Amino acid sequence: MTDTHLTAPTRFVTVEGDQLAYRRWGNAAAGGPPLFFLQHFRGGLDHWDPLMTDGLAAGREVILFNGRGVASSTGTPRTRIEAMADDAAAAIRALGLSKVDVLGFSLGGFQAQDLTRRHPDLVRKLMLLGTGPRGGNPDSEPGVLEAAPRPVPTLDDFLYLFFGRSEAAREAGRAFWARRHVRVDQDPPSSPQVIQAQIEANMYYLPKLDAADPFAHLRTITQPTFILNGNVDVMIPTINSFSMAQNIPNAQLFIYPDAGHAAQFQYPERFLRHAIQFLDE
């Protein structure tokens, strides 16, 4: 039986004595590099959309990954994005891989950028979803600071943080919420220590590296890059996606209408068409 998002077992790779969780499945016979997923703030293996992961797995292997201390992974949670990126690089190498494509969503997009900059030999193509650059515009809506760290997130939190404001957008959000809870053996929630560590990591990511040329570091990313956001992202303002597209030399930008932070979850079929074309071309 071929594994899917709902059946792929949780496995562990050892990095500096800690057991980092991952799930790996898909079409290895296709021959390209696996697509390595880096998740949003406090998110684990089951915060991805099965339509998205299984749709992408039809043409390649996919690897969902939990960083140190996150959800089912052991160890002390990292408080710096660059350390999270180095852990991801170590896990990729420990899995015996010399090249991957990387997909980072939100906080995972921060990690994906640093992984690509710090370990460019590992990354063939880069996908940045609902994210922004180091030193970007930090002006999220005030309600984000209440909803995002809530100990037990609710459906209404997800609809507010991730989706557009129309009833059609909210209905798409409810459909995503149902899909993401179908798997029986769900990854455990991340601890309060993970939440605090990732908040700290985000704070260190806010300052500009160079006040005179704040996005110079993006120009060192030479890999083909796919950037996606909704037209109104209340968490990481959409203008950040334009900043990345303007400064990463080989980037293409997609903005989906009536969408928020998780445009790929609101429009999974549209996203799959765009993502598969990007990865295969």
Side-chain angles (χ1 to χ4, degrees):
M1 179 178 174
T2 302
D3 280 325
T4 68
H5 183 103
L6 301 183
T7 62
T10 301
R11 298 186 170 96
F12 297 88
V13 60
T14 302
V15 173
E16 298 176 349
D18 288 323
Q19 300 295 300
L20 307 188
Y22 72 97
R23 293 181 189 151
R24 181 176 183 176
W25 77 97
N27 186 359
L35 180 58
F36 193 84
F37 287 66
L38 295 166
Q39 186 57 287
H40 62 70
F41 173 67
R42 72 194 276 189
L45 302 175
D46 289 305
H47 287 83
W48 298 106
D49 188 338
L51 285 181
M52 171 181 169
T53 55
D54 283 336
L56 290 168
R60 63 202 40 83
E61 282 192 290
V62 298
I63 301 173
L64 313 185
F65 175 71
N66 283 344
R68 198 183 300 259
V70 173
S72 47
S73 290
T74 68
T76 302
R78 296 294 202 182
T79 58
R80 299 291 187 277
I81 297 297
E82 49 267 56
M84 297 176 190
D86 289 347
D87 282 346
I92 290 166
R93 293 190 173 102
L95 290 170
L97 299 170
S98 60
K99 191 76 71 176
V100 294
D101 295 330
V102 175
L103 184 154
F105 172 37
S106 193
L107 181 84
F110 300 165
Q111 298 173 55
Q113 291 172 64
D114 271 15
L115 170 60
T116 304
R117 292 176 57 238
R118 295 168 69 85
H119 306 275
D121 59 304
L122 286 180
V123 181
R124 184 188 72 133
K125 291 186 176 183
L126 176 62
M127 302 185 72
L128 301 173
L129 315 181
T131 193
R134 186 181 292 267
N137 183 327
D139 296 332
S140 61
E141 286 190 1
V144 169
L145 297 178
E146 176 183 354
R150 200 185 311 277
V152 180
T154 67
L155 171 58
D156 284 341
D157 290 335
F158 270 86
L159 294 177
Y160 166 66
L161 294 170
F162 282 7
F163 293 89
R165 294 294 172 257
S166 71
E167 183 50 37
R170 291 176 61 83
E171 183 59 31
R174 288 188 283 268
F176 159 75
W177 184 260
R179 291 193 301 270
R180 97 129 194 96
H181 285 94
V182 169
R183 182 173 170 126
V184 175
D185 56 331
Q186 292 266 317
D187 207 24
S190 291
S191 68
Q193 290 74 26
V194 168
I195 295 173
Q196 291 305 313
Q198 292 188 348
I199 289 173
E200 183 175 341
N202 183 70
M203 296 304 294
Y204 276 97
Y205 198 77
L206 294 178
K208 295 175 172 55
L209 293 175
D210 180 347
D213 192 2
F215 300 131
H217 63 284
L218 295 177
R219 296 195 284 276
T220 67
I221 297 175
T222 58
Q223 287 84 347
T225 300
F226 174 108
I227 301 169
L228 170 68
N229 210 331
N231 64 320
V232 180
D233 185 338
V234 301
M235 296 190 73
I236 301 177
T238 304
I239 191 65
N240 288 293
S241 295
F242 287 89
S243 297
M244 292 189 299
Q246 289 173 325
N247 287 280
I248 297 175
N250 195 7
Q252 52 187 296
L253 174 63
F254 296 81
I255 301 293
Y256 289 175
D258 181 32
H261 189 59
Q264 72 277 6
F265 297 160
Q266 184 171 330
Y267 295 96
E269 294 86 0
R270 179 183 299 189
F271 168 74
L272 279 174
R273 289 195 298 272
H274 292 153
I276 290 168
Q277 179 180 357
F278 168 74
L279 291 168
D280 287 350
E281 67 186 8

mmCIF file of all heavy atoms in Angstrom, residues 13 15 20-23 36-39 43-45 48 63-68 70 73 84 87-89 91-92 95 111:
data_model
loop_
_atom_site.group_PDB
_atom_site.id
_atom_site.type_symbol
_atom_site.label_atom_id
_atom_site.label_comp_id
_atom_site.label_asym_id
_atom_site.label_seq_id
_atom_site.Cartn_x
_atom_site.Cartn_y
_atom_site.Cartn_z
ATOM 1 N N VAL A 13 14.857 11.385 12.778
ATOM 2 C CA VAL A 13 16.253 11.449 12.370
ATOM 3 C C VAL A 13 17.031 12.091 13.516
ATOM 4 O O VAL A 13 16.551 13.044 14.147
ATOM 5 C CB VAL A 13 16.417 12.248 11.059
ATOM 6 C CG1 VAL A 13 15.916 13.682 11.189
ATOM 7 C CG2 VAL A 13 17.840 12.203 10.567
ATOM 8 N N VAL A 15 19.783 14.317 15.194
ATOM 9 C CA VAL A 15 20.640 15.479 14.965
ATOM 10 C C VAL A 15 21.187 15.922 16.310
ATOM 11 O O VAL A 15 20.418 16.341 17.192
ATOM 12 C CB VAL A 15 19.871 16.633 14.279
ATOM 13 C CG1 VAL A 15 20.737 17.894 14.211
ATOM 14 C CG2 VAL A 15 19.422 16.224 12.881
ATOM 15 N N LEU A 20 14.461 14.290 15.692
ATOM 16 C CA LEU A 20 13.635 15.240 14.962
ATOM 17 C C LEU A 20 12.659 14.482 14.070
ATOM 18 O O LEU A 20 13.051 13.623 13.277
ATOM 19 C CB LEU A 20 14.508 16.183 14.138
ATOM 20 C CG LEU A 20 15.616 16.909 14.928
ATOM 21 C CD1 LEU A 20 16.282 17.963 14.057
ATOM 22 C CD2 LEU A 20 15.075 17.519 16.220
ATOM 23 N N ALA A 21 11.377 14.813 14.209
ATOM 24 C CA ALA A 21 10.307 14.058 13.565
ATOM 25 C C ALA A 21 10.142 14.473 12.108
ATOM 26 O O ALA A 21 10.298 15.646 11.745
ATOM 27 C CB ALA A 21 8.997 14.272 14.317
ATOM 28 N N TYR A 22 9.799 13.479 11.282
ATOM 29 C CA TYR A 22 9.478 13.764 9.884
ATOM 30 C C TYR A 22 8.555 12.681 9.349
ATOM 31 O O TYR A 22 8.439 11.588 9.925
ATOM 32 C CB TYR A 22 10.750 13.858 9.024
ATOM 33 C CG TYR A 22 11.442 12.539 8.771
ATOM 34 C CD1 TYR A 22 11.222 11.812 7.594
ATOM 35 C CD2 TYR A 22 12.318 11.988 9.709
ATOM 36 C CE1 TYR A 22 11.866 10.600 7.358
ATOM 37 C CE2 TYR A 22 12.957 10.784 9.481
ATOM 38 C CZ TYR A 22 12.722 10.094 8.309
ATOM 39 O OH TYR A 22 13.346 8.876 8.074
ATOM 40 N N ARG A 23 7.857 12.998 8.272
ATOM 41 C CA ARG A 23 7.097 12.014 7.497
ATOM 42 C C ARG A 23 7.512 12.157 6.042
ATOM 43 O O ARG A 23 7.611 13.277 5.528
ATOM 44 C CB ARG A 23 5.588 12.232 7.647
ATOM 45 C CG ARG A 23 5.062 11.962 9.052
ATOM 46 C CD ARG A 23 3.564 12.166 9.148
ATOM 47 N NE ARG A 23 3.119 12.112 10.556
ATOM 48 C CZ ARG A 23 2.062 12.756 11.018
ATOM 49 N NH1 ARG A 23 1.317 13.506 10.193
ATOM 50 N NH2 ARG A 23 1.732 12.665 12.289
ATOM 51 N N PHE A 36 10.946 19.532 0.716
ATOM 52 C CA PHE A 36 11.130 19.559 2.166
ATOM 53 C C PHE A 36 10.312 20.711 2.738
ATOM 54 O O PHE A 36 10.516 21.867 2.365
ATOM 55 C CB PHE A 36 12.614 19.754 2.463
ATOM 56 C CG PHE A 36 13.024 19.507 3.888
ATOM 57 C CD1 PHE A 36 13.306 18.231 4.337
ATOM 58 C CD2 PHE A 36 13.154 20.562 4.776
ATOM 59 C CE1 PHE A 36 13.705 18.002 5.639
ATOM 60 C CE2 PHE A 36 13.545 20.349 6.084
ATOM 61 C CZ PHE A 36 13.818 19.058 6.527
ATOM 62 N N PHE A 37 9.371 20.402 3.660
ATOM 63 C CA PHE A 37 8.401 21.359 4.172
ATOM 64 C C PHE A 37 8.824 21.903 5.536
ATOM 65 O O PHE A 37 9.116 21.131 6.460
ATOM 66 C CB PHE A 37 7.037 20.697 4.344
ATOM 67 C CG PHE A 37 6.288 20.406 3.080
ATOM 68 C CD1 PHE A 37 6.761 19.480 2.158
ATOM 69 C CD2 PHE A 37 5.082 21.041 2.808
ATOM 70 C CE1 PHE A 37 6.050 19.189 1.005
ATOM 71 C CE2 PHE A 37 4.365 20.765 1.658
ATOM 72 C CZ PHE A 37 4.850 19.844 0.742
ATOM 73 N N LEU A 38 8.763 23.234 5.700
ATOM 74 C CA LEU A 38 9.033 23.907 6.972
ATOM 75 C C LEU A 38 7.782 24.676 7.377
ATOM 76 O O LEU A 38 7.298 25.528 6.627
ATOM 77 C CB LEU A 38 10.240 24.836 6.835
ATOM 78 C CG LEU A 38 11.576 24.134 6.549
ATOM 79 C CD1 LEU A 38 12.634 25.136 6.098
ATOM 80 C CD2 LEU A 38 12.057 23.377 7.786
ATOM 81 N N GLN A 39 7.288 24.402 8.589
ATOM 82 C CA GLN A 39 5.946 24.807 9.000
ATOM 83 C C GLN A 39 5.921 26.155 9.726
ATOM 84 O O GLN A 39 6.947 26.669 10.172
ATOM 85 C CB GLN A 39 5.350 23.697 9.885
ATOM 86 C CG GLN A 39 3.916 23.868 10.295
ATOM 87 C CD GLN A 39 2.950 24.017 9.121
ATOM 88 O OE1 GLN A 39 2.937 25.082 8.480
ATOM 89 N NE2 GLN A 39 2.140 23.022 8.842
ATOM 90 N N GLY A 43 3.427 25.219 14.506
ATOM 91 C CA GLY A 43 2.765 24.164 13.741
ATOM 92 C C GLY A 43 3.590 22.888 13.677
ATOM 93 O O GLY A 43 4.829 22.915 13.739
ATOM 94 N N GLY A 44 2.897 21.754 13.517
ATOM 95 C CA GLY A 44 3.540 20.463 13.409
ATOM 96 C C GLY A 44 3.198 19.758 12.115
ATOM 97 O O GLY A 44 2.737 20.371 11.142
ATOM 98 N N LEU A 45 3.380 18.439 12.104
ATOM 99 C CA LEU A 45 3.227 17.652 10.888
ATOM 100 C C LEU A 45 1.799 17.630 10.372
ATOM 101 O O LEU A 45 1.574 17.411 9.181
ATOM 102 C CB LEU A 45 3.697 16.212 11.151
ATOM 103 C CG LEU A 45 5.139 16.042 11.631
ATOM 104 C CD1 LEU A 45 5.420 14.577 11.960
ATOM 105 C CD2 LEU A 45 6.130 16.558 10.592
ATOM 106 N N TRP A 48 -0.439 20.781 7.898
ATOM 107 C CA TRP A 48 -0.449 20.911 6.447
ATOM 108 C C TRP A 48 -1.788 20.419 5.894
ATOM 109 O O TRP A 48 -2.505 19.673 6.554
ATOM 110 C CB TRP A 48 0.689 20.109 5.825
ATOM 111 C CG TRP A 48 2.048 20.580 6.245
ATOM 112 C CD1 TRP A 48 2.900 19.977 7.118
ATOM 113 C CD2 TRP A 48 2.708 21.771 5.815
ATOM 114 N NE1 TRP A 48 4.055 20.705 7.252
ATOM 115 C CE2 TRP A 48 3.969 21.821 6.464
ATOM 116 C CE3 TRP A 48 2.368 22.815 4.945
ATOM 117 C CZ2 TRP A 48 4.868 22.858 6.276
ATOM 118 C CZ3 TRP A 48 3.265 23.851 4.750
ATOM 119 C CH2 TRP A 48 4.499 23.862 5.404
ATOM 120 N N ILE A 63 8.656 15.608 2.186
ATOM 121 C CA ILE A 63 9.136 15.373 3.542
ATOM 122 C C ILE A 63 8.602 16.490 4.431
ATOM 123 O O ILE A 63 8.964 17.658 4.251
ATOM 124 C CB ILE A 63 10.676 15.348 3.605
ATOM 125 C CG1 ILE A 63 11.245 14.243 2.697
ATOM 126 C CG2 ILE A 63 11.153 15.147 5.051
ATOM 127 C CD1 ILE A 63 12.766 14.266 2.590
ATOM 128 N N LEU A 64 7.721 16.145 5.365
ATOM 129 C CA LEU A 64 7.253 17.095 6.376
ATOM 130 C C LEU A 64 8.196 16.996 7.564
ATOM 131 O O LEU A 64 8.562 15.898 7.980
ATOM 132 C CB LEU A 64 5.819 16.780 6.810
ATOM 133 C CG LEU A 64 4.791 16.500 5.711
ATOM 134 C CD1 LEU A 64 3.401 16.334 6.336
ATOM 135 C CD2 LEU A 64 4.789 17.589 4.657
ATOM 136 N N PHE A 65 8.553 18.132 8.157
ATOM 137 C CA PHE A 65 9.627 18.150 9.154
ATOM 138 C C PHE A 65 9.228 19.001 10.352
ATOM 139 O O PHE A 65 8.641 20.074 10.192
ATOM 140 C CB PHE A 65 10.895 18.728 8.511
ATOM 141 C CG PHE A 65 12.052 18.918 9.458
ATOM 142 C CD1 PHE A 65 12.745 17.837 9.976
ATOM 143 C CD2 PHE A 65 12.443 20.199 9.825
ATOM 144 C CE1 PHE A 65 13.811 18.018 10.842
ATOM 145 C CE2 PHE A 65 13.515 20.394 10.690
ATOM 146 C CZ PHE A 65 14.197 19.303 11.204
ATOM 147 N N ASN A 66 9.541 18.507 11.556
ATOM 148 C CA ASN A 66 9.421 19.281 12.794
ATOM 149 C C ASN A 66 10.807 19.640 13.298
ATOM 150 O O ASN A 66 11.647 18.750 13.498
ATOM 151 C CB ASN A 66 8.726 18.468 13.897
ATOM 152 C CG ASN A 66 7.225 18.381 13.734
ATOM 153 O OD1 ASN A 66 6.627 19.140 12.981
ATOM 154 N ND2 ASN A 66 6.617 17.454 14.451
ATOM 155 N N GLY A 67 11.050 20.916 13.554
ATOM 156 C CA GLY A 67 12.321 21.346 14.105
ATOM 157 C C GLY A 67 12.513 20.899 15.542
ATOM 158 O O GLY A 67 11.628 20.311 16.175
ATOM 159 N N ARG A 68 13.658 21.221 16.072
ATOM 160 C CA ARG A 68 14.047 20.779 17.411
ATOM 161 C C ARG A 68 13.035 21.257 18.465
ATOM 162 O O ARG A 68 12.733 22.444 18.571
ATOM 163 C CB ARG A 68 15.437 21.333 17.734
ATOM 164 C CG ARG A 68 16.144 20.625 18.886
ATOM 165 C CD ARG A 68 17.475 21.300 19.159
ATOM 166 N NE ARG A 68 18.369 21.290 18.022
ATOM 167 C CZ ARG A 68 19.401 20.449 17.861
ATOM 168 N NH1 ARG A 68 19.653 19.549 18.784
ATOM 169 N NH2 ARG A 68 20.173 20.527 16.800
ATOM 170 N N VAL A 70 9.867 20.887 18.544
ATOM 171 C CA VAL A 70 8.534 21.203 18.021
ATOM 172 C C VAL A 70 7.681 19.938 17.972
ATOM 173 O O VAL A 70 8.097 18.917 17.423
ATOM 174 C CB VAL A 70 8.637 21.829 16.621
ATOM 175 C CG1 VAL A 70 7.251 22.006 16.003
ATOM 176 C CG2 VAL A 70 9.376 23.160 16.682
ATOM 177 N N SER A 73 9.063 16.273 17.996
ATOM 178 C CA SER A 73 10.530 16.277 18.046
ATOM 179 C C SER A 73 11.015 16.521 19.476
ATOM 180 O O SER A 73 10.374 17.239 20.248
ATOM 181 C CB SER A 73 11.105 17.354 17.133
ATOM 182 O OG SER A 73 10.918 17.037 15.773
ATOM 183 N N MET A 84 17.484 27.281 13.592
ATOM 184 C CA MET A 84 16.455 26.403 13.041
ATOM 185 C C MET A 84 16.840 25.953 11.633
ATOM 186 O O MET A 84 16.675 24.779 11.271
ATOM 187 C CB MET A 84 15.114 27.124 12.993
ATOM 188 C CG MET A 84 14.560 27.537 14.339
ATOM 189 S SD MET A 84 13.013 28.481 14.120
ATOM 190 C CE MET A 84 12.762 29.094 15.784
ATOM 191 N N ASP A 87 19.550 23.343 11.772
ATOM 192 C CA ASP A 87 18.997 22.046 12.151
ATOM 193 C C ASP A 87 18.344 21.364 10.947
ATOM 194 O O ASP A 87 18.491 20.153 10.743
ATOM 195 C CB ASP A 87 17.963 22.205 13.261
ATOM 196 C CG ASP A 87 18.585 22.418 14.633
ATOM 197 O OD1 ASP A 87 19.801 22.184 14.780
ATOM 198 O OD2 ASP A 87 17.849 22.833 15.555
ATOM 199 N N ALA A 88 17.598 22.133 10.158
ATOM 200 C CA ALA A 88 16.962 21.564 8.972
ATOM 201 C C ALA A 88 18.012 21.042 8.003
ATOM 202 O O ALA A 88 17.870 19.947 7.437
ATOM 203 C CB ALA A 88 16.078 22.609 8.292
ATOM 204 N N ALA A 89 19.101 21.799 7.814
ATOM 205 C CA ALA A 89 20.178 21.353 6.928
ATOM 206 C C ALA A 89 20.806 20.066 7.450
ATOM 207 O O ALA A 89 21.096 19.137 6.680
ATOM 208 C CB ALA A 89 21.230 22.447 6.793
ATOM 209 N N ALA A 91 19.375 17.807 9.313
ATOM 210 C CA ALA A 91 18.421 16.718 9.121
ATOM 211 C C ALA A 91 18.416 16.251 7.670
ATOM 212 O O ALA A 91 18.366 15.039 7.395
ATOM 213 C CB ALA A 91 17.026 17.172 9.544
ATOM 214 N N ILE A 92 18.451 17.171 6.723
ATOM 215 C CA ILE A 92 18.481 16.810 5.305
ATOM 216 C C ILE A 92 19.704 15.944 5.014
ATOM 217 O O ILE A 92 19.616 14.892 4.358
ATOM 218 C CB ILE A 92 18.477 18.083 4.436
ATOM 219 C CG1 ILE A 92 17.108 18.769 4.532
ATOM 220 C CG2 ILE A 92 18.811 17.755 2.984
ATOM 221 C CD1 ILE A 92 17.096 20.196 4.001
ATOM 222 N N LEU A 95 19.466 12.460 6.451
ATOM 223 C CA LEU A 95 18.589 11.603 5.659
ATOM 224 C C LEU A 95 19.268 11.111 4.388
ATOM 225 O O LEU A 95 18.657 10.379 3.595
ATOM 226 C CB LEU A 95 17.300 12.345 5.308
ATOM 227 C CG LEU A 95 16.342 12.612 6.472
ATOM 228 C CD1 LEU A 95 15.220 13.559 6.057
ATOM 229 C CD2 LEU A 95 15.764 11.309 7.009
ATOM 230 N N GLN A 111 12.796 30.372 7.963
ATOM 231 C CA GLN A 111 13.799 29.316 8.019
ATOM 232 C C GLN A 111 14.270 28.921 6.621
ATOM 233 O O GLN A 111 15.466 28.684 6.409
ATOM 234 C CB GLN A 111 13.214 28.088 8.723
ATOM 235 C CG GLN A 111 12.802 28.310 10.162
ATOM 236 C CD GLN A 111 12.081 27.107 10.725
ATOM 237 O OE1 GLN A 111 12.601 25.996 10.691
ATOM 238 N NE2 GLN A 111 10.875 27.310 11.233
#
